[in-house]
Amino acid sequence: MAKYYTGPVMARIRALSKNKTLQYGLPMMLLIIGGSFGLREFTQIRYDAHERHCKVDPALEEKLKKNKMTLESEYEKMKNSNFEDWKNIRGPRPWEDSKPLQEQPR
């Protein structure tokens, strides 16, 4: 028959296993701290994927740099426009038939 050790070390281990802080608090702290590290890794994957998908074609980037459109230049174009014969045409609502509205002269 095996003889079990029941000295002061085993008594201390049993006392620690009944401790509420170690029983509930330690797993909770491990979950919170481990979760923050895990979330950091997952969010880093998200940002890395975003950087890979948002690369602009160099030819398109050059074309965008060449086409300098500013708010002031657009304002100058609109300032010289004639709005006396402007007619506001309403689009069709979902329940209306759009054919008659499309055939109206603009």
PDB file of all heavy atoms in Angstrom, residues 56-67:
ATOM      1  N   VAL A  56      -1.835  52.017 -54.316  1.00  0.00           N
ATOM      2  CA  VAL A  56      -2.325  52.691 -55.510  1.00  0.00           C
ATOM      3  C   VAL A  56      -1.360  52.413 -56.661  1.00  0.00           C
ATOM      4  O   VAL A  56      -0.137  52.413 -56.484  1.00  0.00           O
ATOM      5  CB  VAL A  56      -2.438  54.208 -55.249  1.00  0.00           C
ATOM      6  CG1 VAL A  56      -2.916  54.928 -56.489  1.00  0.00           C
ATOM      7  CG2 VAL A  56      -3.383  54.466 -54.096  1.00  0.00           C
ATOM      8  N   ASP A  57      -1.916  52.204 -57.844  1.00  0.00           N
ATOM      9  CA  ASP A  57      -1.114  51.978 -59.038  1.00  0.00           C
ATOM     10  C   ASP A  57      -0.270  53.228 -59.315  1.00  0.00           C
ATOM     11  O   ASP A  57      -0.792  54.349 -59.276  1.00  0.00           O
ATOM     12  CB  ASP A  57      -2.058  51.680 -60.211  1.00  0.00           C
ATOM     13  CG  ASP A  57      -1.309  51.338 -61.470  1.00  0.00           C
ATOM     14  OD1 ASP A  57      -0.238  50.718 -61.360  1.00  0.00           O
ATOM     15  OD2 ASP A  57      -1.807  51.681 -62.569  1.00  0.00           O
ATOM     16  N   PRO A  58       1.020  53.088 -59.600  1.00  0.00           N
ATOM     17  CA  PRO A  58       1.866  54.279 -59.827  1.00  0.00           C
ATOM     18  C   PRO A  58       1.391  55.146 -60.985  1.00  0.00           C
ATOM     19  O   PRO A  58       1.495  56.373 -60.928  1.00  0.00           O
ATOM     20  CB  PRO A  58       3.250  53.689 -60.120  1.00  0.00           C
ATOM     21  CG  PRO A  58       3.237  52.330 -59.517  1.00  0.00           C
ATOM     22  CD  PRO A  58       1.814  51.868 -59.571  1.00  0.00           C
ATOM     23  N   ALA A  59       0.860  54.547 -62.050  1.00  0.00           N
ATOM     24  CA  ALA A  59       0.366  55.343 -63.178  1.00  0.00           C
ATOM     25  C   ALA A  59      -0.834  56.194 -62.752  1.00  0.00           C
ATOM     26  O   ALA A  59      -0.942  57.373 -63.119  1.00  0.00           O
ATOM     27  CB  ALA A  59      -0.018  54.429 -64.332  1.00  0.00           C
ATOM     28  N   LEU A  60      -1.720  55.600 -61.966  1.00  0.00           N
ATOM     29  CA  LEU A  60      -2.886  56.344 -61.481  1.00  0.00           C
ATOM     30  C   LEU A  60      -2.463  57.442 -60.515  1.00  0.00           C
ATOM     31  O   LEU A  60      -3.011  58.546 -60.543  1.00  0.00           O
ATOM     32  CB  LEU A  60      -3.868  55.387 -60.793  1.00  0.00           C
ATOM     33  CG  LEU A  60      -5.124  56.003 -60.212  1.00  0.00           C
ATOM     34  CD1 LEU A  60      -5.965  56.642 -61.308  1.00  0.00           C
ATOM     35  CD2 LEU A  60      -5.925  54.965 -59.461  1.00  0.00           C
ATOM     36  N   GLU A  61      -1.467  57.168 -59.710  1.00  0.00           N
ATOM     37  CA  GLU A  61      -0.984  58.175 -58.773  1.00  0.00           C
ATOM     38  C   GLU A  61      -0.381  59.371 -59.507  1.00  0.00           C
ATOM     39  O   GLU A  61      -0.615  60.521 -59.130  1.00  0.00           O
ATOM     40  CB  GLU A  61       0.062  57.536 -57.854  1.00  0.00           C
ATOM     41  CG  GLU A  61       0.436  58.393 -56.687  1.00  0.00           C
ATOM     42  CD  GLU A  61       1.340  57.668 -55.720  1.00  0.00           C
ATOM     43  OE1 GLU A  61       1.538  56.451 -55.854  1.00  0.00           O
ATOM     44  OE2 GLU A  61       1.861  58.357 -54.827  1.00  0.00           O
ATOM     45  N   GLU A  62       0.360  59.123 -60.586  1.00  0.00           N
ATOM     46  CA  GLU A  62       0.912  60.217 -61.388  1.00  0.00           C
ATOM     47  C   GLU A  62      -0.196  61.034 -62.040  1.00  0.00           C
ATOM     48  O   GLU A  62      -0.122  62.255 -62.114  1.00  0.00           O
ATOM     49  CB  GLU A  62       1.856  59.667 -62.457  1.00  0.00           C
ATOM     50  CG  GLU A  62       3.168  59.161 -61.908  1.00  0.00           C
ATOM     51  CD  GLU A  62       3.972  60.264 -61.255  1.00  0.00           C
ATOM     52  OE1 GLU A  62       3.975  61.396 -61.770  1.00  0.00           O
ATOM     53  OE2 GLU A  62       4.598  59.984 -60.221  1.00  0.00           O
ATOM     54  N   LYS A  63      -1.235  60.345 -62.522  1.00  0.00           N
ATOM     55  CA  LYS A  63      -2.354  61.041 -63.153  1.00  0.00           C
ATOM     56  C   LYS A  63      -3.080  61.919 -62.138  1.00  0.00           C
ATOM     57  O   LYS A  63      -3.479  63.037 -62.452  1.00  0.00           O
ATOM     58  CB  LYS A  63      -3.312  60.008 -63.745  1.00  0.00           C
ATOM     59  CG  LYS A  63      -4.423  60.601 -64.564  1.00  0.00           C
ATOM     60  CD  LYS A  63      -5.281  59.527 -65.189  1.00  0.00           C
ATOM     61  CE  LYS A  63      -6.408  60.128 -65.971  1.00  0.00           C
ATOM     62  NZ  LYS A  63      -7.296  59.110 -66.538  1.00  0.00           N
ATOM     63  N   LEU A  64      -3.226  61.428 -60.914  1.00  0.00           N
ATOM     64  CA  LEU A  64      -3.874  62.223 -59.875  1.00  0.00           C
ATOM     65  C   LEU A  64      -3.029  63.429 -59.489  1.00  0.00           C
ATOM     66  O   LEU A  64      -3.566  64.508 -59.211  1.00  0.00           O
ATOM     67  CB  LEU A  64      -4.148  61.358 -58.647  1.00  0.00           C
ATOM     68  CG  LEU A  64      -5.243  60.310 -58.790  1.00  0.00           C
ATOM     69  CD1 LEU A  64      -5.303  59.423 -57.558  1.00  0.00           C
ATOM     70  CD2 LEU A  64      -6.582  60.975 -59.028  1.00  0.00           C
ATOM     71  N   LYS A  65      -1.726  63.261 -59.471  1.00  0.00           N
ATOM     72  CA  LYS A  65      -0.855  64.401 -59.151  1.00  0.00           C
ATOM     73  C   LYS A  65      -0.884  65.448 -60.247  1.00  0.00           C
ATOM     74  O   LYS A  65      -0.809  66.645 -59.991  1.00  0.00           O
ATOM     75  CB  LYS A  65       0.582  63.920 -58.944  1.00  0.00           C
ATOM     76  CG  LYS A  65       0.789  63.225 -57.625  1.00  0.00           C
ATOM     77  CD  LYS A  65       2.230  62.810 -57.467  1.00  0.00           C
ATOM     78  CE  LYS A  65       2.448  62.062 -56.176  1.00  0.00           C
ATOM     79  NZ  LYS A  65       3.836  61.597 -56.038  1.00  0.00           N
ATOM     80  N   LYS A  66      -0.995  64.999 -61.499  1.00  0.00           N
ATOM     81  CA  LYS A  66      -1.008  65.925 -62.637  1.00  0.00           C
ATOM     82  C   LYS A  66      -2.314  66.727 -62.672  1.00  0.00           C
ATOM     83  O   LYS A  66      -2.309  67.910 -63.007  1.00  0.00           O
ATOM     84  CB  LYS A  66      -0.853  65.143 -63.942  1.00  0.00           C
ATOM     85  CG  LYS A  66      -0.592  66.038 -65.134  1.00  0.00           C
ATOM     86  CD  LYS A  66      -0.624  65.318 -66.461  1.00  0.00           C
ATOM     87  CE  LYS A  66       0.202  64.066 -66.496  1.00  0.00           C
ATOM     88  NZ  LYS A  66       0.175  63.431 -67.819  1.00  0.00           N
ATOM     89  N   ASN A  67      -3.440  66.104 -62.336  1.00  0.00           N
ATOM     90  CA  ASN A  67      -4.741  66.752 -62.380  1.00  0.00           C
ATOM     91  C   ASN A  67      -4.957  67.513 -61.076  1.00  0.00           C
ATOM     92  O   ASN A  67      -5.450  66.968 -60.108  1.00  0.00           O
ATOM     93  CB  ASN A  67      -5.840  65.705 -62.581  1.00  0.00           C
ATOM     94  CG  ASN A  67      -7.191  66.340 -62.788  1.00  0.00           C
ATOM     95  OD1 ASN A  67      -7.301  67.550 -62.949  1.00  0.00           O
ATOM     96  ND2 ASN A  67      -8.221  65.524 -62.755  1.00  0.00           N
TER      97      ASN A  67
END
